[in-house]
Amino acid sequence: MTGRDLRALFSTNDRSVQAAEAFTNRSSQWETVAAALTEHLQHISAPGFNAEDLEAPRNHVLVFHGVGGIGKTTLSRMLEAALTDAGQRPSQWGEPGWPADRILPVRIDLARSAGTDFEQIVLTIRAALTRIGRPLPAFDLALRRYWEANHPGEPLEEYLRRGNLGSRFGQALPQQMQSVLADVAQALMLPGTIGSAVGQVTGALIGALRERRQTVRALAGCTRLADLLEAEPDLDALSFYPHLLAWELARLPEGKKVVPVVLLDTFEDIGDRTRRDLERLIQRTVWLLPNAFWVITGRSRLQWADAALQGQLDYTSPTAWPGLAHTAVPAARPPAPAGTARQVLIGDFSPEDCDDYLARRLTRDGQPLIGEGVRQVITARSHGLPLYLDLSVARFLELSRSGRTPQPADFDHDFPALVARTLTDLTPDERHVLRSVSLLDAFDVPLATRAAGLAHEGAALRLTERPFVRENSFGLWPFHLHGLIRSAVCNADDTTDDRWTEADWQQAARRAFTTLGEQHHNSPGPGRLLLIACLRQGLRLARDHRLDLDWLTDAAWTYVSDSVWEPLAPPDTETEAGLGTAADALVELLSALARRQHEHRSRTAARLTTVIDSHLLPDDLQHMALYYRAKAYRDIGHSADSRRGYQQVVDGGGRLAPAARRGLAQAARLAGDFPTTYAAAQTLGWEGRHQRVLGDVWWVQGEPARAAAAYQAGRLEAEQHAKAGEAAHNQALRALAIAFYDPHQADDEIDLAEQLLAHLDLRATTINAAIAALIRDAGNPTLNDRVRALHTELDVAGLTSMAPTLELAAAFHQAVLEDHDELSVTISRLRELTQDGDYAYYIDIAHFMAGLPLPAEHAAPQWLDGEQATCARWREIVTARRDLLRTSR
């Protein structure tokens, strides 16, 4: 369904280019119209329907609203075409369930450029009804009286011609009105000279109606006709005349019955929302014409069901307009019953629709003129907004006129026209709020008000009702701007009279940033969700507008303290051009810490080195980068670098000094100096995670039960301090320890670890839980495949330091099976993995498990109670597992 795009045709001399106004499928909207219209036809055909009932609720209005440029006018035109002629209905749209000759579509453009006033609306509806081929006496008399009083000496024919109504509907209306006047005059037996004097005819008719004369019995059934003919024939009276039209339509004979479908487009242009003069007249018309069906398209929802508008409009309540009542039902809830919702937000095009639209808009020899690469960029930038597609088509033609072929990079572009279209019907305060919230990913009314620096919330509240503001009822801040509108407001050249200067944008960013900090600071509880939301928005604002870190420093420490690692920065915030400010460095630091769960640890170490070498962060945050780089070095097996990093943090004496002392204690454990580690654990306290350090020492001594008890104590401490990440880490290690001596209990412990990890992003801890499952299943012949899979995962993650523990789990499995050949291979791999001295004692443990003698040249670790006792305990653990497997077969 396409027509000529004249603007495109007149943009190029190339006559081979075919420019068409492509219509992209809006099947869901058609289905909504079809269902609502079918329900309306059933309603007005029911025996109990009364067109003169002034109190019954109205459900004969369907509203499509959406941002400027979303395709509302195109939809309105297509609905008119489809209802006028079935041959113009898009093939994707289904067959309607009503006779085509019963529907009479009437489309009225309310755009300011069209100059439509209320008189023209009423006359358009009446002129369209001339297609019935018969006058409508009650309405026509009242309209003729109004016309003579308000347009003396102006022929109706001339008005219809000037307003283009004559060409649309013909000139039958004046003849039908004159015929009514003559017929009534004849029925009242008035002299022929009076038959054309509408005032005398209506005066006589009023008298006859009041006296209930038999000569006017055809009009006597219209109970309010006399009152309307007696009223002063002004614009207010004209708005009540549709009641007469409803009565006339209801009494049409069966063969002549029609249902007008009135399509009012560009409803946002009817005037000032603070006065609503024209809207009041239109609403009255809609209410008094209940047997018509109304399809209204505009930028905003209709507020007719809002009781707060009582006094500005005649009919204002959810009872009066049940289908127009605004109920913010979250998308996850079941939809309202079919036929009840009458306000529909028109969504953006899907990527497939965008590509189809662009491919068919400009063609040459039947092939798309806009290449696939360019279409992909335009589609991605458009966020599905048809107006952006149109502007991009115009840009394509403009670039083509320069003599070169447009390239995809030419369409990484914002259009000022989008800003103008978005701002056009907003109040000055609403414009101010819009620009302010364009700096935010999400907002609520208080946040928007504070960001705008306003003392009252009204403008922010009104803005949330606009269609370019999307709502997620489950969000911490429920509102966000349409993606393309936000980009355009922030980035496009603003040519409006009230455009902001750079200083204005900077002040707005500072206000928004400060407000986010206050929300974070004033949170009544731990508020992890609020913390992450404030950090995400605050980091972006600080980076983009070069703000001081301020509250971000404390928020960053709160973020890292729980070891949960939710992603903070989307890909576009990762710094590629280098670090220039403290905010740049903090964004990179926190992004590297979050991404390390998904990147090779060597990449993490490199990113943190960049942050450290920039020297942009204050000392305490510099220590944060040093500490986590030391952890990354440990993970990739750079033990000496790791110890140096930990020592720098300890020497600095900052917030992470206890954790760094733990790192040094763990370094001693990795080197086999267990007495030093054990002694250090006594001094670490909760801040140094002393119970976890003790657990790490105990299980390698062949005392997994003591280790499990220490890990449990560590988990309980973490839960008391509301540290979910630390609790999960202790639980995974507890499961690993218990798996050595009680595989049945290990089932429950592993399940608990997986539950604690379900909503966390802790890769190393998740692998620890998987190794626990391997140890639990030792003796199962299918274990080798799982070991290989975990090896691959460790390689991808760069968690080199965990590979020896995985090999030790494999050695336990082989010792249980007494598979000395495979065990020998595993010990060889352990020797390769521990060449730097870290985890070298795993080789001893592997020998202890299998009862094998230690190599003569091997350097013995410093066991807590000696080699012989440790060997006996490990040997006993393996023997117990063999006995368990034997008895369970």
Side-chain angles (χ1 to χ4, degrees):
M1 304 298 300
T2 59
R4 286 293 183 189
D5 180 355
L6 296 180
R7 284 180 300 172
L9 282 175
F10 280 83
S11 296
T12 177
N13 293 326
D14 188 349
R15 296 295 296 159
S16 66
V17 174
Q18 299 298 308
E21 289 185 331
F23 177 72
T24 299
N25 180 22
R26 288 285 191 183
S27 295
S28 63
Q29 283 80 33
W30 167 255
E31 290 169 4
T32 300
V33 171
L37 182 52
T38 299
E39 181 183 323
H40 176 70
L41 293 172
Q42 294 169 348
H43 173 66
I44 64 176
S45 300
F49 175 76
N50 179 6
E52 292 186 280
D53 188 341
L54 301 179
E55 299 179 357
R58 301 302 201 247
N59 208 32
H60 64 316
V61 178
L62 182 60
V63 180
F64 291 109
H65 61 106
V67 299
I70 199 67
K72 303 178 296 296
T73 293
T74 303
L75 174 64
S76 180
R77 288 173 177 162
M78 287 306 303
L79 289 173
E80 179 191 30
L83 293 170
T84 302
D85 179 3
Q88 297 187 59
R89 189 173 61 248
S91 59
Q92 306 97 323
W93 291 7
E95 292 282 345
W98 57 78
D101 58 356
R102 192 179 176 191
I103 302 301
L104 181 62
V106 187
R107 184 176 175 276
I108 301 172
D109 188 355
L110 299 175
R112 294 188 183 97
S113 58
T116 305
D117 57 16
F118 183 66
E119 277 187 357
Q120 191 168 3
I121 292 172
V122 174
L123 283 169
T124 299
I125 296 171
R126 176 60 187 94
L129 288 169
T130 58
R131 294 173 182 170
I132 301 172
R134 54 182 289 159
L136 305 172
F139 179 83
D140 289 351
L141 277 172
L143 181 61
R144 182 61 183 261
R145 180 168 179 263
Y146 169 86
W147 191 261
E148 294 291 339
N150 291 276
H151 297 270
E154 180 182 3
L156 182 59
E157 293 89 338
E158 176 59 24
Y159 182 91
L160 294 175
R161 184 195 63 77
R162 194 169 62 248
N164 199 35
L165 297 180
S167 60
R168 286 180 66 188
F169 306 112
Q171 289 289 346
L173 179 57
Q175 287 80 9
Q176 289 183 0
M177 291 173 66
Q178 186 60 41
S179 171
V180 167
L181 199 62
D183 290 346
V184 172
Q186 183 178 359
L188 294 171
M189 294 182 290
L190 298 175
T193 56
I194 296 178
S196 60
V198 66
Q200 293 179 337
V201 171
T202 54
L205 176 60
I206 292 168
L209 291 170
R210 298 293 189 202
E211 295 168 8
R212 303 180 184 277
R213 293 183 203 168
Q214 191 68 17
T215 53
V216 291
R217 65 181 181 276
L219 294 174
C222 187
T223 57
R224 296 177 180 87
L225 175 58
D227 298 302
L228 288 171
L229 292 177
E230 281 182 323
E232 183 69 23
D234 55 16
L235 196 64
D236 199 54
L238 179 64
S239 68
F240 287 99
Y241 293 174
H243 175 73
L244 304 176
L245 202 56
W247 180 77
E248 292 282 11
L249 289 172
R251 74 188 192 107
L252 287 174
E254 196 58 40
K256 294 288 186 178
K257 281 189 179 297
V258 295
V259 176
V261 177
V262 185
L263 302 111
L264 300 179
D265 188 31
T266 328
F267 200 78
E268 70 272 10
D269 275 9
I270 63 172
D272 187 352
R273 293 180 79 182
T274 62
R275 294 183 57 195
R276 300 179 184 269
D277 293 341
L278 179 54
E279 185 178 4
R280 182 175 65 254
L281 300 176
I282 292 175
Q283 192 213 44
R284 189 178 293 159
T285 298
V286 174
W287 183 271
L288 296 175
L289 197 49
N291 37 4
F293 186 73
W294 302 78
V295 180
I296 298 176
T297 46
R299 291 192 180 186
S300 303
R301 296 176 56 89
L302 273 190
Q303 298 175 303
W304 294 355
D306 187 351
L309 294 182
Q310 188 172 8
Q312 296 186 65
L313 302 175
D314 290 355
Y315 312 95
T316 54
S317 73
T319 304
W321 307 95
L324 302 183
H326 179 40
T327 55
V329 179
R333 296 185 187 172
T340 59
R342 287 289 188 265
Q343 304 238 42
V344 180
L345 177 66
I346 297 185
D348 303 320
F349 284 175
S350 68
E352 294 77 14
D353 282 344
C354 290
D355 187 76
D356 180 66
Y357 182 95
L358 293 169
R360 291 190 289 116
R361 187 66 186 275
L362 297 175
T363 58
R364 178 185 284 125
D365 299 327
Q367 297 300 311
L369 189 62
I370 303 176
E372 183 178 358
V374 173
R375 297 202 306 269
Q376 287 177 351
V377 173
I378 296 174
T379 294
R381 290 276 295 170
S382 74
H383 290 263
L385 188 68
L387 176 58
Y388 187 91
L389 304 181
D390 285 340
L391 294 171
S392 296
V393 168
R395 179 170 175 79
F396 183 92
L397 291 169
E398 178 186 351
L399 293 171
S400 298
R401 285 199 300 270
S402 68
R404 67 181 183 87
T405 302
Q407 300 299 312
D410 295 324
F411 293 88
D412 185 11
H413 186 73
D414 290 297
F415 292 103
L418 285 171
V419 181
R421 288 284 294 269
T422 303
L423 299 178
T424 184
D425 61 338
L426 301 184
T427 66
D429 276 355
E430 287 171 355
R431 292 180 175 211
H432 187 72
V433 176
L434 173 63
R435 289 188 172 99
S436 300
V437 299
S438 71
L439 297 169
L440 297 168
D441 300 325
F443 61 92
D444 58 11
V445 171
L447 178 56
T449 302
R450 293 290 307 279
L454 299 179
H456 49 84
E457 294 185 345
L461 184 62
R462 290 194 301 274
L463 189 75
T464 63
E465 299 170 359
R466 300 290 182 168
F468 51 74
V469 176
R470 304 299 167 84
E471 183 173 4
N472 173 13
S473 299
F474 294 118
L476 179 64
W477 296 298
F479 303 110
H480 63 277
L481 292 182
H482 182 284
L484 183 62
I485 300 302
R486 182 186 178 196
S487 174
V489 171
C490 281
N491 302 318
D493 293 333
D494 191 342
T495 59
T496 57
D497 292 339
D498 60 349
R499 60 186 175 274
W500 278 6
T501 66
E502 285 300 319
D504 293 331
W505 283 106
Q506 190 70 14
Q507 290 172 11
R510 192 172 291 110
R511 285 194 303 266
F513 180 77
T514 301
T515 304
L516 289 169
E518 290 170 352
Q519 290 204 7
H520 165 252
H521 179 73
N522 297 329
S523 175
R528 185 82 188 175
L529 182 64
L530 179 61
L531 167 71
I532 299 306
C534 288
L535 268 174
R536 284 174 179 159
Q537 301 218 71
L539 286 168
R540 186 190 293 272
L541 286 168
R543 184 208 62 179
D544 292 350
H545 298 275
R546 307 178 74 84
L547 304 177
D548 293 336
L549 295 183
D550 195 49
W551 60 270
L552 285 176
T553 298
D554 285 340
W557 280 109
T558 304
Y559 170 73
V560 301
S561 67
D562 199 16
S563 302
V564 176
W565 312 120
E566 302 93 333
L568 288 179
D572 70 316
T573 66
E574 293 188 10
T575 306
E576 297 293 339
L579 306 178
T581 66
D584 288 336
L586 183 57
V587 168
E588 179 67 2
L589 168 59
L590 297 183
S591 175
L593 297 186
R595 287 294 303 166
R596 71 196 181 111
Q597 306 300 328
H598 307 280
E599 293 179 339
H600 197 281
R601 285 303 204 276
S602 61
R603 167 69 174 151
T604 303
R607 293 179 67 180
L608 293 176
T609 297
T610 300
V611 172
I612 292 166
D613 291 347
S614 73
H615 299 289
L616 292 168
L617 293 174
D619 287 346
D620 56 345
L621 291 176
Q622 186 82 345
H623 290 160
M624 182 190 291
L626 285 167
Y627 171 77
Y628 283 101
R629 184 179 67 172
K631 289 189 70 172
Y633 280 151
R634 182 203 66 193
D635 290 338
I636 59 178
H638 295 183
S639 301
D641 291 333
S642 176
R643 283 191 291 272
R644 278 193 294 271
Y646 284 138
Q647 191 62 56
Q648 283 182 272
V649 178
V650 170
D651 294 342
R655 302 192 209 194
L656 285 172
R661 282 195 292 271
R662 181 184 75 240
L664 291 174
Q666 296 285 40
R669 174 179 63 84
L670 299 185
D673 186 357
F674 302 120
T676 297
T677 306
Y678 181 78
Q682 314 306 312
T683 67
L684 291 174
W686 153 250
E687 293 82 0
R689 308 304 191 252
H690 60 132
Q691 295 290 0
R692 176 147 58 93
V693 175
L694 285 172
D696 291 346
V697 170
W698 283 125
W699 79 262
V700 296
Q701 310 301 312
E703 298 197 55
R706 294 182 73 176
Y711 290 135
Q712 183 176 39
R715 190 196 74 210
L716 293 174
E717 282 187 338
E719 290 170 349
Q720 289 168 4
H721 288 83
K723 302 300 182 185
E726 179 64 18
H729 195 59
N730 274 280
Q731 180 56 35
L733 291 171
R734 173 174 165 79
L736 185 148
I738 290 174
F740 277 114
Y741 67 90
D742 192 341
H744 297 301
Q745 183 185 348
D747 284 338
D748 295 334
E749 302 296 340
I750 293 169
D751 285 346
L752 177 56
E754 290 173 347
Q755 290 174 29
L756 295 178
L757 284 164
H759 302 293
L760 304 178
D761 194 4
L762 297 173
R763 196 168 192 178
T765 306
T766 301
I767 293 174
N768 271 332
I771 293 175
L774 291 177
I775 296 170
R776 175 199 61 191
D777 298 337
N780 186 327
T782 64
L783 215 61
N784 291 336
D785 290 340
R786 289 159 59 188
V787 171
R788 282 192 291 270
L790 276 178
H791 266 302
T792 301
E793 189 169 349
L794 291 175
D795 290 342
V796 170
L799 293 170
T800 306
S801 63
M802 296 186 71
T805 305
L806 177 58
E807 292 294 351
L808 188 64
F812 178 61
H813 165 66
Q814 292 151 5
V816 169
L817 292 178
E818 297 184 277
D819 188 346
H820 293 288
D821 291 338
E822 285 297 323
L823 180 60
S824 177
V825 174
T826 298
I827 290 174
S828 296
R829 282 199 297 267
L830 274 172
R831 193 169 286 111
E832 292 175 7
L833 291 169
T834 60
Q835 286 179 359
D836 62 354
D838 284 354
Y839 293 106
Y841 54 86
Y842 278 0
I843 297 173
D844 298 59
I845 295 174
H847 284 80
F848 296 162
M849 288 175 174
L852 298 174
L854 290 170
E857 72 282 1
H858 185 65
Q862 300 175 51
W863 302 106
L864 289 181
D865 58 354
E867 180 180 299
Q868 189 173 355
T870 306
C871 176
R873 285 192 294 267
W874 276 114
R875 186 65 184 155
E876 184 181 345
I877 291 170
V878 171
T879 303
R881 176 61 61 90
R882 283 188 195 146
D883 293 342
L884 179 64
L885 289 173
R886 246 190 318 267
T887 57
S888 62
R889 288 186 181 131

